[in-house]
Structure formats: structure tokens, C-alpha cells
Amino acid sequence: MAEAVESPGDPGTTTPRPLFAGLSDISISQDIPVEGEITIPVRSRIREFDSSTLNESVQNTIMRDLKAVGKKFMHVLYPRKSNTLLRDWDLWGPLILCVTLALMLQRGSVDSEKDGGPQFAEVFVIVWFGAVTITLNSKLLGGNISFFQSLCVLGYCILPLTMALLVCRLVLLAEPGPINFMVRLFVVIIMFAWSIVASTAFLADSQPPNRKALAVYPVFLFYFVISWMILTFTPQ
Amino acid sequence: MAAPDELAFHEFEEAANLLAQTPNETTIRSDQLSPKGHVAVAMDSGASYGAEDEVEESDKTVLLQEEKQQPGFWTFGYYQSFFDVDTSQVLDRIKGSLLPRPGHNFVRHHLRNRPDLYGPFWICATLAFVLAITGNLTLVLAQRRDPSIHYSPQFHKVTVASVTIYCYTWLVPLALWGFLRWRKGVRERMGVYTFLETVCVYGYSLFVFIPTVVLWLIPVPWLQWLFGALALALSAAGLVFTLWPVVREDTRLAAGVLLSVVVLLHALLAMGCKVLGWGGHRLGLGWGLGLLAPMLTQGSRSVLFLPAAASRAHGISPPSHLSACSHRVATHPAKVRGSLGRLSLQVRNCPQLQLPPLCPRPRLEASGPLLTFSLSDPRDGDWRLP
């Protein structure tokens, strides 16, 4: 403030004057606007939350994640148009489902012929690369869903098909025959339809309206291939 | 033009003024289009509404020129421009590929200089999966009829089918495009298609194989060949009608060679699909069946071996008599071949013959994958039970 005020009357004086000497004589006629930034560090609740999760027990952490995964499973089983799957996406559920599917579908022994069922890696690659391809496809077509949200939805909607695989496994313990096959076919078809309905309930809104069918068709193909792998599964 | 305090009502006046002014300006601009090329429009596109209308109504190539200022290939927007299609457009293109007509060029009529990658990519993916699935289904149906066939899910077919089809849809158009570019360098009057348009043409032309492959499930052979020929005809006709306007400027020899190579490759693909789905499962029956060698030696009858996986016992009896032991006979002297595997051999003594009760001892020798054994004349050698 001292430099904004000129001492009137003697611009060229060279006598050194002590600082702030004539400050009491100074009067400021007009308002000088004050500008600046004032920041007050806010101790938000989030920071408290973060620091408290560091100290919580491992069981709490795991249970919280498991509950989130379980809640999303419920949302898939009873699909409503809600945004929970999209808002808090996570990839734990898809990983658990994919590993379960691949473990159960893989053919057992090494010495079986080369034209057998899929290996673990083949199922894994099909599920994840299929999901990535569908996500890229929907983004390229102009959808406004983020990459991981779409992966999350597609992965969670494999849940009905995994349940179908478990049922098929149990049914195959009984004697083989046409009735066996019809039961498995029926179960797989129902679960396939359920998967498609669940995933389109979440994904269809993010597409522009004149391209919805273009974005939904790859999802249909993806679940069809997984259903086919489940239906042709024969335990060795 | 408008006073700041009268903006609300002045907007219409502003637009009307502009539209009243622009008719003269647009006519001048459109005259400038033809001699100067299309850069003029891009530079003159001011904020006037009239100019925008003119751009949309003018030649399609103007739009192309404006779109050519695309983002670089490392951005996402570059690839998004290849997926700029609607559902109705994709369906229209598929219909155009299913029904080729001599006058209708697929590229000009259906693509209209907006090739997309959605169609080729997903049609190839669908075709690969449908091929693998129906190939598996035929195995299931064949097993119903003949329970000795060993069923397996045959997952490797998916890999083979998808690699083949994708390579075909991307490498053959690349070669074709390169060839056309070279010929254009030789003869400037030839038209040319861009690489994406060629990929589009090939991709959409494969669509007709999808219902054909499903129809191949019907186990009537002549019907299968009929469907295959029909699909090949439609698909190849689409390709030929698309390529003809481009190629007819060239010498007849080059045009003929090009078109016949295109059709031949397409036919090879169709045959490959059929073999993968339908021939494959027969060849997979343990490799004994593949070497079904009816080794006719001197005799008139031949020996048939069953596949090694389903090994049965055969009786080998001296030839002068159709033995009751089994319905397989061997010529004499016999040299029969079979492949290694669980080949079980049972030499039986046939009581009807007036031969020593002991059976000839076959001499076994194994050389490589073949197991050869020979029977000498029973009257010569040494009869002993094996």
C-alpha cells in the first residue's frame, strides 16, 4: 500500500526518508479495490473417511467390497433401470464370474484330442476380449458410456449364464439322454434371455437412438457364444 | 446490425436480411466452385445461413473435401469416422449385397462414399462363430445317426474359422486395392476405389454365407451343393458388378484375369467353409480312417479297416472262402496295411476249411506309422498259434 501512494510535491528529492514516516499524513480519496484469493483448507469428511479406512480391519474392507459386489449381483438378477451398476463400477464381480466360468468349462486332461472343449485361457480371452470389443464398438458408434462402466455391466450380466452352467453341471450328473439335453437347453435359453435383458436395460440408454440395434447386436452375439460353450459342455 | 436492446425481435430480421442478401452471393460462389475447385467453399464459409444451405445442397464431393480434414490416426475421432452409420444404413447395405444387380454398383449406390467398418467386422465375426457352431451341430446330428462317432465340442474350429475369414476380408482387398492402384498408374482412365471401400465390398458380400451355412445343416448332399453354388453365385456376382466399371477401362486380358482370380478366391473360401464344417469331423475320427487305404494287391477284393478308435476284431481267413468269422476278407497272399493305434487283430480258425487247424503266424513289422503284416501261403509255412 505504501508504494501506491505518491508523496506529493517532491518528485525529485533525494533525501532518504525513514519508511512509513509520512504515513499519517496520507489520505486516500478514492476507493482502491482489493482483489485476491482467500483459501481456507476444508477438512472434509472424505479425508476423515480415507484415513479411517487405513486403520480398519481387513475383514471390514473385504466385507465392504463383497457387499458391493453382492448388491450388484442383485441388480443384475432383478434388472430395473437403475444407475447403480453404472455409477459405482467395479471389476471384481466380472473377474470372479469369468474365472468360475473358465474353471468349470475347461477340458480336464491334456491328452484329450485337440478338438475338445475350450481351455481356460480360451474362455478367459473370449470373455474379456469380447467385452472390450463390444465396449469399443459402442464407443465408436457414439455412445456416451465410459470404458470401464461398460466392461462392468457386460461382466456382471454373465451371472445368469454362470448359474446356468452350475445347473447344467448338476443335471449332467444324472443319466444322459434326450430329456437331459432338453432340460439343459431350456435352462440355457432362459438364462441367455435374462442376460440380454439385463444388459440392455443398462446399456441401451447410452446409445444414440438410431443406432441402438447396432450396439445391442454384438452383445447378443457375445452371450450367444458363451451360451453355446455352456450348452456343449460335456465333462470328461 | 441489431441494437443491443432490441435483440429479441431483431433475430428474425437479421436472418431475413441475411437470406435476402445471400442469393446473389451463393450464385457467385457456386460459379466459383467448378473452376476453382472446392477450396473456395471452405474458405468462404462464413457465419451466414445461406452458405451452409449451399454447402449441403452442392456436390457430394464438397462434403468429402470438408471431411477430409480428419483428425490424425492416433486420435479416437479418426476411427469414429469409420463407424458413422445408422441401423437403417447398415440394413440397406446388407440388402444391396444380397441382391446384386448388373447396373447397380454397390460402392456408388449403397456406400455413397461413406464406407464403414462396422459391417465387415461384425459380419466376419458372425460368420466365424456361425461356422464353428453349425460345424459342431452337424457332428451332433451325425452322432445321432451313427453312435460310433466320437463327439467333442471342437473348439479349435472357432480359432481357425475366425483367422481365415478375417485374413480373407482384409488381405485380399489389400491386394486388390494395390493391384488397382498399379493399373491406374499404367492407365489413367481407370477409376479407383479406396481401400476402405474395397474392404466394405468384400465384407458385405460375405453376408450371404451366413444363412447358407445355417442351411447346410440339412443333411441332403445335393441340396448342400445347391445352396453353396447359389451363395457363391450371389456373392461373386456382387463383387464382379462392383469391380466391372472400374476394370473395364483396362485391357481385356487384365480385366479377365482379375475378375476370374476374384471369383476363384471366393470359391476357395466357400469350399473352405464347407470343409471346415463338414469334412472336418470325418477326418477327426482317429486318424486310422483317413488312411482308409483299400490296398488292392493281386486279389479282387479289398480290405477295409475301421477307425482305430473304434477297433473291432477282424478275422483274416484264406481267400477262397467268405468266412463266417467276419465279413472282412483278405486276398492271398495278403499284405494289408493299417495305421498304428488300437488295432486289434484276431486271427481265427475257420472250421469249414480243410486246412491245418493252426492259424498262420503273421509276420509283424512296424515301419513308421504303418504296421505291416504279411501272411504267407498257408501251404508253405509254418502254422502256429500266435
Side-chain angles (χ1 to χ4, degrees):
Chain A
M1 287 274 275
E3 56 262 19
V5 175
E6 289 176 9
S7 52
D10 43 353
T13 180
T14 53
T15 55
R17 286 170 34 168
L19 236 60
F20 305 118
L23 207 55
S24 52
D25 302 336
I26 296 168
S27 68
I28 303 167
S29 60
Q30 62 195 17
D31 291 342
I32 300 176
V34 174
E35 294 181 28
E37 280 185 55
I38 302 176
T39 53
I40 303 171
V42 176
R43 286 190 54 86
S44 58
R45 278 190 304 133
I46 299 171
R47 199 175 294 178
E48 284 171 12
F49 192 72
D50 274 349
S51 63
S52 67
T53 59
L54 267 180
N55 294 332
E56 68 179 9
S57 66
V58 173
Q59 183 190 3
N60 278 357
T61 314
I62 293 181
M63 286 314 294
R64 188 175 59 238
D65 282 335
L66 278 182
K67 278 200 196 113
V69 168
K71 204 161 80 144
K72 292 202 188 71
F73 279 168
M74 283 300 129
H75 273 277
V76 168
L77 286 180
Y78 303 107
R80 288 180 299 270
K81 278 197 192 297
S82 77
N83 283 340
T84 313
L85 262 190
L86 291 182
R87 249 199 333 248
D88 326 310
W89 58 267
D90 73 90
L91 291 179
W92 282 114
L95 182 69
I96 293 174
L97 288 174
C98 181
V99 167
T100 312
L101 203 69
L103 274 178
M104 296 186 65
L105 275 180
Q106 64 171 346
R107 71 186 112 130
S109 52
V110 178
D111 58 13
S112 59
E113 299 161 10
K114 73 173 165 76
D115 49 2
Q119 296 277 15
F120 180 92
E122 283 171 339
V123 177
F124 210 79
V125 159
I126 280 191
V127 169
W128 284 103
F129 275 91
V132 166
T133 309
I134 296 175
T135 307
L136 277 180
N137 178 62
S138 79
K139 282 184 82 67
L140 284 170
L141 282 174
N144 57 358
I145 192 172
S146 96
F147 185 76
F148 287 108
Q149 283 173 349
S150 173
L151 276 187
C152 167
V153 168
L154 286 169
Y156 269 104
C157 291
I158 299 181
L159 176 68
L161 286 171
T162 311
M163 291 178 3
L165 177 62
L166 291 171
V167 170
C168 281
R169 198 83 200 245
L170 290 174
V171 168
L172 277 171
L173 289 176
E175 52 160 88
I179 303 180
N180 198 319
F181 179 72
M182 296 306 286
V183 167
R184 281 188 293 141
L185 182 68
F186 180 68
V187 166
V188 168
I189 286 180
I190 297 279
M191 293 301 185
F192 166 65
W194 201 338
S195 282
I196 300 258
V197 165
S199 61
T200 49
F202 293 113
L203 284 180
D205 290 336
S206 66
Q207 294 297 322
N210 52 350
R211 296 179 185 182
K212 273 206 185 16
L214 292 185
V216 167
Y217 170 71
V219 177
F220 171 85
L221 188 65
F222 177 62
Y223 288 128
F224 186 75
V225 169
I226 296 183
S227 314
W228 180 256
M229 287 199 296
I230 291 174
L231 191 58
T232 59
F233 167 71
T234 47
Q236 299 298 326
Chain B
M1 289 195 16
D5 45 342
E6 283 180 88
L7 269 175
F9 294 99
H10 264 265
E11 275 183 281
F12 295 102
E13 281 185 29
E14 194 174 358
N17 288 340
L18 279 172
L19 280 174
Q21 286 171 13
T22 46
N24 294 335
E25 292 179 4
T26 52
T27 48
I28 294 172
R29 227 177 264 118
S30 65
D31 286 339
Q32 284 174 350
L33 267 180
S34 26
K36 271 195 195 174
H38 314 293
V39 187
V41 178
M43 282 166 35
D44 291 344
S45 64
S48 54
Y49 309 101
E52 285 180 7
D53 286 341
E54 177 60 28
V55 163
E56 277 164 357
E57 289 164 1
S58 70
D59 203 9
K60 278 178 237 152
T61 47
V62 174
L63 265 176
L64 248 195
Q65 289 293 327
E66 287 186 351
E67 283 177 26
K68 282 288 190 267
Q69 291 119 27
Q70 280 171 353
F73 68 90
W74 56 88
T75 61
F76 193 67
Y78 177 76
Y79 299 102
Q80 219 166 5
S81 62
F82 301 142
F83 281 77
D84 196 13
V85 277
D86 295 338
T87 312
S88 56
Q89 282 177 342
V90 171
L91 289 177
D92 172 60
R93 289 172 188 192
I94 289 177
K95 270 203 289 272
S97 79
L98 278 179
L99 307 164
R101 280 183 285 172
H104 267 57
N105 189 348
F106 183 75
V107 171
R108 298 283 169 242
H109 278 264
H110 292 275
L111 289 186
R112 289 180 204 265
N113 298 333
R114 297 179 71 100
D116 69 303
L117 281 182
Y118 178 89
F121 183 77
W122 286 109
I123 289 177
C124 290
T126 311
L127 184 61
F129 283 119
V130 167
L131 202 54
I133 289 175
T134 47
N136 205 1
L137 263 182
T138 17
L139 188 59
V140 169
L141 293 178
Q143 198 200 15
R144 290 283 164 82
R145 289 196 303 266
D146 184 5
S148 68
I149 298 178
H150 169 66
Y151 167 75
S152 60
Q154 290 178 320
F155 198 73
H156 73 288
K157 280 192 179 174
V158 174
T159 322
V160 171
S162 54
V163 166
T164 314
I165 291 175
Y166 273 103
C167 281
Y168 181 78
T169 316
W170 290 85
L171 295 181
V172 173
L174 185 68
L176 184 66
W177 174 74
F179 183 77
L180 287 178
R181 285 259 161 197
W182 171 58
R183 295 308 292 176
K184 182 165 174 63
V186 172
R187 295 176 155 259
E188 287 82 21
R189 276 193 313 148
M190 278 178 63
V192 72
Y193 294 141
T194 67
F195 172 60
L196 279 178
E197 285 170 348
T198 327
V199 168
C200 246
V201 170
Y202 265 85
Y204 279 105
S205 75
L206 284 182
F207 180 80
V208 74
F209 284 109
I210 296 178
T212 311
V213 164
V214 174
L215 283 174
W216 271 343
L217 278 175
I218 305 174
V220 179
W222 64 265
L223 204 60
Q224 288 179 349
W225 285 109
L226 180 69
F227 285 137
L230 194 65
L232 181 63
L234 274 178
S235 181
L239 285 178
V240 166
F241 292 149
T242 306
L243 285 176
W244 177 244
V246 168
V247 154
R248 84 178 148 207
E249 310 288 338
D250 207 346
T251 61
R252 306 227 5 214
L253 179 66
V257 165
L258 179 69
L259 290 177
S260 49
V261 166
V262 160
V263 172
L264 186 70
L265 283 175
H266 223 66
L268 275 180
L269 183 78
M271 298 281 292
C273 289
K274 185 126 200 339
V275 165
L276 181 74
W278 283 260
H281 80 270
R282 285 190 212 283
L283 288 177
L285 283 181
W287 35 307
L289 188 63
L291 312 177
L292 244 223
M295 293 306 287
L296 300 170
T297 56
Q298 291 88 5
S300 52
R301 300 192 195 105
S302 57
V303 177
L304 281 178
F305 276 104
L306 278 178
S311 60
R312 293 195 201 157
H314 356 263
I316 298 183
S317 56
S320 54
H321 158 77
L322 246 185
S323 69
C325 322
S326 76
H327 51 278
R328 310 277 183 265
V329 298
T331 58
H332 169 77
K335 196 160 192 162
V336 292
R337 287 166 163 235
S339 62
L340 259 183
R342 287 165 295 206
L343 189 72
S344 75
L345 195 60
Q346 195 180 15
V347 176
R348 281 190 254 158
N349 192 5
C350 297
Q352 287 93 341
L353 299 166
Q354 285 117 25
L355 286 170
L358 300 172
C359 306
R361 179 175 71 165
R363 210 168 39 237
L364 296 172
E365 56 207 24
S367 61
L370 294 178
L371 177 71
T372 316
F373 57 92
S374 52
L375 296 171
S376 54
D377 193 298
R379 280 172 280 267
D380 293 341
D382 187 29
W383 287 77
R384 289 226 301 248
L385 268 172

